[in-house]
Amino acid sequence: MAHFEVGGIVRALHGVRDEWRDSQRRSREPGAREFPSRDALAQIVESLKGALFPMRLGPPDLRHESEDFYVGHSLDSALQALLTQARLELEFNARHEPRSPGEIDDAATDAVHRFANALPGLRRLLDTDVLAAYQGDPAARSVDEVLLCYPGVLAMIHHRLAHELYTLGQPLLARIVAELAHAQTGIDIHPGAQIGAGFFIDHGTGVVIGETAVIGKRVRLYQAVTLGAKRFPTDAEGNLQKGLPRHPVVEDDVVIYAGATILGRVRLGKGAVIGGNVWITDDVPAGASVTQASMQNAPQGAAA
């Protein structure tokens, strides 16, 4: 067996970490973990997926008569673990916005209670997403196949959970949950995006949906669609201004085909159809159809 002299590398890595912590004004005091854990969140999400869809995403040996027991056990375990992660995020944030330990504990507990109470509503929303995928894809043989196999549905399970955490003041936990799905599916949905019922992403790879995007009901997207920002405003000192509305608003019943790029705070009107590989930076009227040909023939600056 080869022998590696790692002592010097360990010391060098220690020095690099100290340099980073000093540059970021982090404490060097020994103590417990400072940040939420990606691995812990992955286990929490797996438990929540099983609790939401026990007979399809739960354990393979689960029987109907044990369903409620399994859901209760999984929920209790997941929510206790989520509470730990929520405290870690709030403690980390307290470096910039000081709060007492008691205030942090109360805020974390309240957020997780509210998250837990939202789960039945999230399940109903996810049922509309599953049904939209089944009804929108002629290759789908059952809703069970859709739930078990479709990357767009997996991404939406993560997004519905992540968005709830985002609205409850846990944006780092939300982002981790969203990025777990991004890594698995190639679908990048920021947890801040507002997405209505019956949302279907077909195929999905390369889809990007930005933080301030607002999507209505029964919207369908295909692969490589981008709902992005057109520009990034800065303040007087040149720093990016965060949180400003900068992504598209997509109204009900819109279809966006593969490779389309929609940038900026534009509005796609109800029932509009956006063809593949078009580039849109202006509003599109309700019911309009935008294709490459119509873009080429449209007056300068018009979307359709």
Side-chain angles (χ1 to χ4, degrees):
M1 180 181 295
H3 175 72
F4 297 98
E5 181 52 59
V6 298
I9 301 172
V10 170
R11 289 189 293 274
L13 288 172
H14 186 98
V16 173
R17 292 196 305 272
D18 282 347
E19 289 174 12
W20 167 256
R21 287 166 181 161
D22 289 343
S23 71
Q24 299 296 311
R25 299 179 181 178
R26 302 276 174 83
S27 173
R28 291 199 194 181
E29 294 295 322
R33 185 183 182 94
E34 288 185 278
F35 312 104
S37 163
R38 185 182 176 97
D39 289 343
L41 265 297
Q43 294 176 17
I44 290 166
V45 170
E46 287 305 306
S47 293
L48 291 172
K49 285 156 61 177
L52 288 168
F53 299 97
M55 298 306 298
R56 286 172 286 181
L57 302 183
D61 58 348
L62 183 65
R63 300 174 65 86
H64 281 289
E65 57 265 31
S66 305
E67 196 173 15
D68 285 343
F69 177 83
Y70 163 75
V71 170
H73 177 76
S74 296
L75 276 180
D76 184 66
S77 175
L79 294 172
Q80 293 294 340
L82 183 61
L83 179 58
T84 298
Q85 300 304 308
R87 286 195 189 104
L88 284 170
E89 176 167 356
L90 294 177
E91 287 168 357
F92 177 73
N93 293 341
R95 297 183 307 112
H96 304 291
E97 302 173 3
R99 304 171 81 174
S100 71
E103 290 174 327
I104 290 172
D105 190 66
D106 288 346
T109 302
D110 179 63
V112 175
H113 273 297
R114 290 163 65 189
F115 176 83
N117 289 332
L119 289 173
L122 292 184
R123 165 63 202 252
R124 290 190 181 93
L125 261 180
L126 287 166
D127 284 344
T128 71
D129 299 329
V130 170
L131 190 59
Y134 173 66
Q135 293 175 338
D137 185 1
R141 296 178 180 274
S142 69
V143 291
D144 304 294
E145 177 188 0
V146 165
L147 180 59
L148 290 168
C149 302
Y150 278 39
V153 172
L154 174 61
M156 284 309 297
I157 294 173
H158 279 247
H159 177 73
R160 300 294 188 195
L161 296 171
H163 183 70
E164 192 65 31
L165 290 170
Y166 184 90
T167 61
L168 292 172
Q170 302 284 160
L172 180 54
L173 298 190
R175 192 62 185 267
I176 293 171
V177 171
E179 291 303 325
L180 290 169
H182 183 192
Q184 293 181 61
T185 66
I187 297 169
D188 183 0
I189 309 177
H190 193 286
Q194 302 175 51
I195 301 179
F199 185 61
F200 175 34
I201 305 175
D202 200 358
H203 304 295
T205 305
V207 165
V208 177
I209 300 174
E211 177 185 21
T212 63
V214 179
I215 299 174
K217 299 176 182 177
R218 300 174 300 277
V219 169
R220 184 162 83 245
L221 269 60
Y222 288 81
Q223 66 271 23
V225 166
T226 297
L227 303 180
K230 185 177 180 181
R231 59 178 62 89
F232 303 99
T234 58
D235 61 22
E237 298 177 353
N239 299 311
L240 286 179
Q241 296 183 5
K242 298 181 182 291
L244 297 177
R246 59 195 184 278
H247 299 102
V249 176
V250 181
E251 295 186 356
D252 297 348
D253 301 305
V254 169
V255 179
I256 307 176
Y257 285 98
T261 299
I262 300 95
L263 300 181
R265 195 62 166 184
V266 299
R267 182 176 293 272
L268 307 184
K270 182 176 180 179
V273 177
I274 310 301
N277 297 313
V278 299
W279 182 282
I280 293 177
T281 56
D282 295 291
D283 291 349
V284 173
S289 178
V290 180
T291 65
Q292 287 189 352
S294 67
M295 294 285 286
Q296 291 166 2
N297 296 327
Q300 188 73 22

